[in-house]
Amino acid sequence: MQSASEQSEAAERPAPPEHVYPDHWEADVVLRDGGTARIRPITADDADRLVSFYEQVSDESKYYRFFAPYPRLSAKDVHRFTHHDFVDRVGLAATVGGEFIATVRYDRIDDRGMPASAPADEAEVAFLVQDAHQGRGVASALLEHIAAVARERDIRRFAAEVLPANNKMIKVFTDAGYTQKRSFEDGSVRLHLDLEPTDRSLAVQRAREQRAEARSVQRLLTPRSVAVVGAGRAPGGVGRTVLRNLIESGFTGRVYAVNAALTDGAAELDGVPAHSSIGAIGEPVDLAIVAVPAERVPEAVADCGEHGVRGLVVLSAGYAESGPAGRDRQRELVRQARSYGMRIIGPNAFGIINTADDVRLNASLAPQMPAAGRIGLFAQSGAIGIALLAGLHRHGAGLSSFISAGNRADVSGNDFLQHWYDDPGTDVVLLYLESIGNPRKFTRLARRTAAVKPVVVVKGARHSGSAPPGHRVPVTRIPHATVSALLRQAGVIRVDTVTELVDAGLLLAAQPLPAGPRVAILGNSESLGLLTYDACLTEGLRPLRPLDLTTAAVPADFRDALAAALADETADAVVVTAIPWVGENGATEFGDGEVLAAALRAAVASAPAPTKPVVVVHVEMGGLAEALAVATSTRPAPAGRGGPPTGPRPATRPTDRTATPDASVLPGTAVTPDASAVPGPAVTPGTDMPPGATVTSDTHATPGTDVTSDTTAPPAAPATIPAYPAAERAVRALAEAVRYGEWRRQAAEPGRVPEYEDIDEAGAAALIERTLGDRAGDGADARGVTLGAAEAGELLARYGIAVLPTLPAPTPDDAVAAAARLGYPVALKTTAPHLRHRPDLGGVRLDLASEEQLRTAYAELTEVLGKPEELLPVVQAMVPRGVDTVVRSAIDPAVGAVLSFGLSGAASELLGDTAHRLVPATDRDVAELVRSLRTAPLLFGWRGSAPVDTPALEELLLRVSRLVDDHPEVVAVSLEPVVVAPRGLSVLGATVRLAPPPPRTDLGPRSLPSY
């Protein structure tokens, strides 16, 4: 692919001028196979690396690059390919272990294809990938990065010449998603790519990101061989404990112990081969568990990297959690591991677990392997991870995989969301997070994952005001409640405690999603039924009148009542309440819980279609919870865990239920052995498999497979019903399922961002650029520029937002002149910062219908509140009366642009009654935004008042959202008050702040977080 510009350079072009090395172009990327590479600019110091790299490229690849046999690079070639000005000529290299594996370069050209400088906006681009690394997605990653560099240097198009036989490189260009033109000239394919990102290029980029990051996690969870580095010779210690856990879990691959103190002779620890180093093993090692002191970790990482280890779990402490020195040590650990193409879980990690039958990996400090199941669990805290694992194991809960990431310096919850999104062995995702490193990406990934399976999150360290030690995260300026609201908008089930995390997660794993909020309540205690009824109302559900079976009810009565409730079309879910019943002699009987459990399972199994969730609330019912949980606890788990990655589905048709094997309810805290329930086997969508059916241990269920066709299946296992020791907990979990089901149904038909013909996007952009340019300079405020009233009004007008004129009134005569200009009646109000938007302080006079009234009001204001120069009074025309509201938007460094709405006034501010949505907002988002306030009834005719024009209000919100989304320089907008009348609305005040746009971590080329 020798370009015309390269050929012309043979005549020796002057040496490029010196430019500062652009270190912000450096990035670590995850490749298609899950490994990592470092992308960085090529410099003059890379001559030897370039020559060595070229020697390892095949003759065919060289021919494709230069269109002729080109066995070696000349000294002139090496100089040209390593000396760049980083503006008109740029070269990037992908490296692993410090050595080149691929290169890309562009040369700016003019319209004749000759070397050029700015303002020429086209460049020729050429790639070369080492044959051993072709097919790993290296060229695609390099194209994303070189395109971003080119856009930064005002290059808008790439041109590339490719031989027709070079199908791989043609595919790199055509699959990128950019707008392109293709032609055939002089025996080669000529491609022109418009570098402006498109929806398709962004979708391609994110799909590649998902596949690569999911694959990188899969490599960590499914190793064929594991080495424990730091396994002590004496029993005990972290390394030896992990080694024992690996062996006792039945890991299906090879296990090695590594201890630098061992001699090179044959040795064993706990029955597995032991060596002095990774290199001494002599066989490939996929995963290394590092459990040596922090000061010895670099040596261990180098040993792993130089011998092809693919991933690390670093259990060692002494990193960022220990202070500044540890933070530096952690930064260097990440750099070192990534330089070898390895990913890291940790440091200060608890470990990872994969329960799949063909893996059975317990590379953690957990002493026992959890039961296999369909729940994926991620915990940043080792202590919480220990508690969850211990409790879940004790109650037979089933997990697909578990990760405790410690300081999560590299692999994070985002990576595991990428993995669990299409993992067929996981139906429900539970996350305990103490920080979110990339909130925008997390929200995007959570929204996508929640569309196919539930994502339940509990957030620790919510009120500390800082990230936990060892966590490097952007600091948000918005309240915790706002973050929760934004996560819920993305479909995340947001809970407050670990107990609620488990309660909600296991209900979702065991039961179908409810089709609505109507709840049937039945049981043998009128009081417990009423408590459940009240709890339903508190959670916003619609409970039906409780059915009291009386204390004389026997299990058969429960069975019949539950069967009737499941068949009742007026109920979407059923809560069964149970207390011990009294025998004939008046003694309380505790031993019939097993009988009641069997009766309830029989009722569920007899239902024509499993479309309604059932939960049980019990008080001192001996054996009930255990019996409900024991259904599948002794049954062999399906091989590979089986089943498609569907998770619970909204109950809109009979086949929408996916039951889940081997999970249990854990009441109380994660470690309180109170009540449990184990879900039944997986149900494949598209079948009418009843909840009592099972899957044999050698069946791999796949989407569309009818697992009931296996005639060798064992007897059907009973259905699973989660049980809770308190009505509030059961109802809270059910309410989360109801809300999530509603979100899923709405997500199936997402809203849209309307187009408005009167929006002048280009005019607004020019105004913003001019304003920022005029006020740039040494004295510019880093926080940006707050526009004056006229400028703010002009910018908002470009988006169809009219602000009511405001005229200053420094004297009574000025006020009269302003009123004459605007026309009576008018309003007189102060704009001093301490009085602004505070009508309760008396700084506003309304409906002034004459000059006399205006002068009187002016005198009263200045007499009571202060001098005119302190009050800064203004005059506005009166507008139709309505409800005063506030519309705001701001860019938060952690979550991005947020649109906010609330009613104006001190009461709303004190109650925190403000709703939020992420930008860009859709028509459905703004409709929900308006209606989600506790004070929303005031907008819809509360107590006989006239309803206001909510369509006009929703349009205003959409226009503000468009403004902020189209122009990231608009970092804050505040419209206050916005008076919404029965017909139309009026914006009485507006504040707009501009600033250079903050960097976006969710756009641009794929890259891992930098350290």
Side-chain angles (χ1 to χ4, degrees):
M1 209 181 339
Q2 185 159 18
S3 65
S5 61
E6 287 178 332
Q7 295 170 359
S8 68
E9 281 189 286
E12 193 58 50
R13 182 178 182 176
E18 292 293 329
H19 287 271
V20 176
Y21 177 79
D23 56 4
H24 63 288
W25 293 351
E26 295 182 355
D28 295 305
V29 297
V30 184
L31 302 178
R32 182 182 301 156
D33 63 356
T36 65
R38 178 82 169 166
I39 293 177
R40 64 169 178 83
I42 299 174
T43 70
D45 296 331
D46 290 319
D48 292 342
R49 291 187 185 88
L50 181 66
V51 171
S52 175
F53 158 72
Y54 194 77
E55 289 174 350
Q56 298 177 64
V57 175
S58 70
D59 291 339
E60 182 184 48
S61 294
K62 294 173 182 175
Y63 185 88
Y64 283 152
R65 169 65 176 84
F66 293 102
F67 292 15
Y70 216 88
R72 63 187 57 84
L73 296 175
S74 67
K76 185 180 294 185
D77 292 329
V78 173
H79 183 275
R80 185 169 73 249
F81 293 152
T82 56
H83 287 70
H84 305 95
D85 61 11
F86 304 127
V87 178
D88 299 327
R89 299 179 61 247
V90 172
L92 301 179
T95 68
V96 173
E99 299 301 321
F100 287 7
I101 64 169
T103 63
V104 63
R105 68 190 301 254
Y106 78 66
D107 294 85
R108 196 189 299 259
I109 57 175
D110 59 19
D111 54 3
R112 298 172 300 149
M114 303 302 290
S117 298
D121 61 357
E122 186 171 354
E124 276 194 313
V125 64
F127 293 81
L128 186 60
V129 181
Q130 212 173 79
D131 295 65
H133 295 277
Q134 292 179 9
R136 300 184 66 200
V138 183
S140 298
L142 281 173
L143 177 57
E144 290 179 20
H145 283 262
I146 197 73
V149 168
R151 288 193 295 269
E152 182 181 325
R153 298 310 193 199
D154 295 322
I155 292 172
R156 299 290 173 248
R157 291 179 303 281
F158 272 165
E161 232 178 311
V162 189
L163 288 174
N166 194 357
N167 293 318
K168 291 181 181 178
M169 188 52 61
I170 292 174
K171 186 174 176 61
V172 168
F173 288 115
T174 56
D175 287 355
Y178 295 113
T179 302
Q180 58 185 268
K181 295 179 182 179
R182 185 173 175 178
S183 61
F184 190 78
E185 302 175 10
D186 299 328
S188 64
V189 177
R190 186 76 174 173
L191 294 163
H192 292 269
L193 278 73
D194 187 340
L195 299 183
E196 186 66 26
T198 65
D199 290 342
R200 181 168 178 264
S201 69
L202 186 60
V204 167
Q205 178 179 314
R206 288 178 172 173
R208 288 172 173 167
E209 173 193 66
Q210 189 274 327
R211 288 192 297 268
E213 293 180 358
R215 178 57 183 155
S216 73
V217 170
Q218 187 180 10
R219 293 198 336 171
L220 293 167
L221 288 173
T222 57
R224 293 165 297 180
S225 55
V226 178
V228 180
V229 181
R233 287 177 290 183
V238 173
R240 193 66 178 268
T241 299
V242 174
L243 179 64
R244 184 190 67 239
N245 295 342
L246 265 171
I247 297 168
E248 293 182 353
S249 69
F251 176 57
T252 58
R254 300 182 302 277
V255 179
Y256 304 98
V258 175
N259 187 320
L262 295 173
T263 61
D264 292 334
E268 285 189 353
L269 288 178
D270 287 337
V272 302
H275 301 273
S276 60
S277 67
I278 294 289
I281 294 175
E283 295 183 18
V285 173
D286 292 334
L287 179 68
I289 313 301
V290 180
V292 298
E295 60 271 15
R296 289 176 46 202
V297 169
E299 177 186 350
V301 172
D303 185 26
C304 292
E306 290 167 3
H307 293 93
V309 174
R310 302 163 77 179
L312 305 173
V313 177
V314 181
L315 308 182
S316 311
Y319 287 89
E321 80 282 358
S322 63
R327 210 160 22 243
D328 292 340
R329 191 180 298 121
Q330 181 168 301
R331 188 177 297 113
E332 185 54 39
L333 168 64
V334 174
R335 289 197 185 109
Q336 184 186 15
R338 287 180 180 172
S339 73
Y340 289 109
M342 298 184 293
R343 300 213 66 185
I344 302 173
I345 291 178
N348 196 28
F350 183 71
I352 59 174
I353 294 174
N354 182 0
T355 64
D357 283 347
D358 56 350
V359 180
R360 297 198 57 78
L361 172 72
N362 180 7
S364 77
L365 295 171
Q368 292 179 299
M369 184 77 163
R374 306 185 69 84
I375 298 175
L377 178 61
F378 178 92
Q380 286 182 354
S381 163
I384 296 298
I386 292 169
L388 285 169
L389 278 179
L392 292 171
H393 176 79
R394 186 161 53 249
H395 291 82
L399 299 178
S400 61
S401 50
F402 163 80
I403 307 90
S404 178
N407 295 358
R408 59 152 193 72
D410 180 26
V411 176
S412 69
N414 283 348
D415 295 285
F416 278 91
L417 276 178
Q418 299 277 39
H419 166 69
W420 283 322
Y421 165 67
D422 56 6
D423 174 31
T426 301
D427 283 345
V428 178
V429 174
L430 305 183
L431 302 169
Y432 172 80
L433 304 176
E434 292 179 345
S435 62
I436 302 176
N438 188 338
R440 294 189 194 204
K441 182 176 179 180
F442 176 81
T443 301
R444 170 169 58 86
L445 300 185
R447 181 190 294 272
R448 185 190 60 187
T449 305
V452 295
K453 59 187 68 173
V455 177
V456 191
V457 173
V458 62
K459 177 76 165 57
R462 292 173 295 179
H463 306 298
S464 64
S466 62
H471 293 211
R472 182 176 178 270
V473 296
V475 178
T476 180
R477 293 192 294 260
I478 60 179
H480 164 70
T482 304
V483 175
S484 296
L486 298 179
L487 290 178
R488 287 187 180 276
Q489 181 190 352
V492 172
I493 299 172
R494 177 72 177 79
V495 297
D496 292 327
T497 68
V498 171
T499 301
E500 292 175 2
L501 175 75
V502 176
D503 285 350
L506 293 177
L507 183 148
L508 292 162
Q511 296 290 310
L513 291 177
R518 302 170 300 177
V519 180
I521 303 169
L522 61 94
N524 63 346
S525 168
E526 182 180 13
S527 298
L528 191 54
L530 291 175
L531 285 173
T532 304
Y533 184 91
D534 290 342
C536 287
L537 292 176
T538 300
E539 293 293 335
L541 302 179
R542 291 164 52 192
L544 307 180
R545 182 189 181 106
L547 173 61
D548 182 16
L549 302 178
T550 77
T551 56
V554 296
D557 298 323
F558 277 87
R559 180 196 61 210
D560 296 342
L562 178 56
L566 291 172
D568 185 358
E569 295 183 356
T570 66
D572 302 309
V574 183
V575 179
V576 178
T577 64
I579 62 171
W581 50 86
V582 179
E584 294 181 359
N585 59 358
T588 302
E589 298 191 11
F590 291 94
D592 289 334
E594 295 88 347
V595 179
L596 177 57
L600 297 178
R601 287 198 302 266
V604 173
S606 67
T611 60
K612 295 180 184 179
V614 178
V615 298
V616 172
V617 178
H618 67 97
V619 176
E620 297 298 334
M621 281 292 294
L624 174 61
E626 291 78 4
L628 289 172
V630 78
T632 57
S633 61
T634 59
R635 179 181 57 82
R641 293 187 301 266
T646 59
R649 294 172 178 255
T652 55
R653 60 182 186 274
T655 58
D656 271 345
R657 180 184 189 271
T658 300
T660 307
D662 302 324
S664 71
V665 163
L666 177 63
T669 63
V671 294
T672 303
D674 210 339
S676 61
V678 178
V683 174
T684 302
T687 72
D688 291 325
M689 187 175 179
T694 190
V695 182
T696 58
S697 60
D698 59 352
T699 298
H700 290 268
T702 55
T705 303
D706 184 359
V707 295
T708 62
S709 63
D710 187 354
T711 58
T712 64
T720 297
I721 304 172
Y724 302 87
E728 294 78 11
R729 285 177 50 188
V731 171
R732 192 175 299 121
L734 181 60
E736 295 293 358
V738 169
R739 287 188 281 266
Y740 172 68
E742 178 63 22
W743 183 89
R744 279 276 291 270
R745 287 185 286 274
Q746 292 181 357
E749 299 179 3
R752 63 185 185 89
V753 178
E755 294 290 337
Y756 297 107
E757 295 182 358
D758 59 342
I759 287 181
D760 181 8
E761 184 176 345
L767 177 60
I768 291 169
E769 182 178 4
R770 184 172 66 250
T771 303
L772 288 176
D774 291 345
R775 305 193 186 183
D778 296 336
D781 189 339
R783 296 173 298 176
V785 175
T786 299
L787 301 185
E791 293 172 309
E794 182 182 359
L795 177 60
L796 292 169
R798 302 279 186 179
Y799 273 73
I801 301 170
V803 182
L804 196 71
T806 301
L807 300 181
T811 68
D813 291 340
D814 291 322
V816 172
R821 179 178 172 185
L822 297 172
Y824 289 100
V826 296
L828 176 69
K829 55 186 180 181
T830 64
T831 58
H834 66 289
L835 296 172
R836 190 177 180 85
H837 307 312
R838 291 295 307 274
D840 55 305
L841 298 181
V844 178
R845 297 292 189 273
L846 302 175
D847 288 319
L848 304 176
S850 65
E851 178 180 339
E852 181 182 358
Q853 291 181 4
L854 177 56
R855 289 185 181 276
T856 301
Y858 198 103
E860 291 174 351
L861 281 181
T862 54
E863 180 180 350
V864 174
L865 299 177
K867 299 177 182 179
E869 53 268 26
E870 298 172 347
L871 301 181
L872 305 176
V874 297
V875 176
Q876 281 186 319
M878 287 298 298
V879 298
R881 291 190 178 274
V883 178
D884 289 1
T885 65
V886 183
V887 174
R888 292 192 178 101
S889 182
I891 295 181
D892 183 82
V895 299
V898 178
L899 181 67
S900 304
F901 172 71
L903 267 57
S904 181
S908 292
E909 291 184 18
L910 288 171
L911 294 173
D913 192 19
T914 303
H916 312 272
R917 290 295 183 273
L918 292 172
V919 170
T922 66
D923 52 358
R924 174 170 287 170
D925 289 333
V926 298
E928 294 173 352
L929 185 69
V930 169
R931 290 159 179 79
S932 61
L933 298 176
R934 282 175 286 174
T935 49
L938 293 173
L939 302 171
F940 296 93
W942 186 65
R943 289 191 174 181
S945 62
V948 302
D949 193 346
T950 50
L953 176 59
E954 291 169 10
E955 180 178 329
L956 175 66
L957 289 162
L958 287 166
R959 289 178 180 271
V960 172
S961 171
R962 276 287 307 274
L963 170 64
V964 175
D965 189 47
D966 291 346
H967 306 283
E969 300 88 350
V970 181
V971 295
V973 175
S974 178
L975 307 182
E976 183 179 3
V978 177
V979 181
V980 190
R983 295 186 62 182
L985 57 77
S986 303
V987 180
L988 303 189
T991 303
V992 177
R993 186 160 55 88
L994 305 180
R1000 291 288 300 270
T1001 56
D1002 59 334
L1003 297 177
R1006 289 173 285 157
S1007 65
L1008 290 169
S1010 60
Y1011 263 87

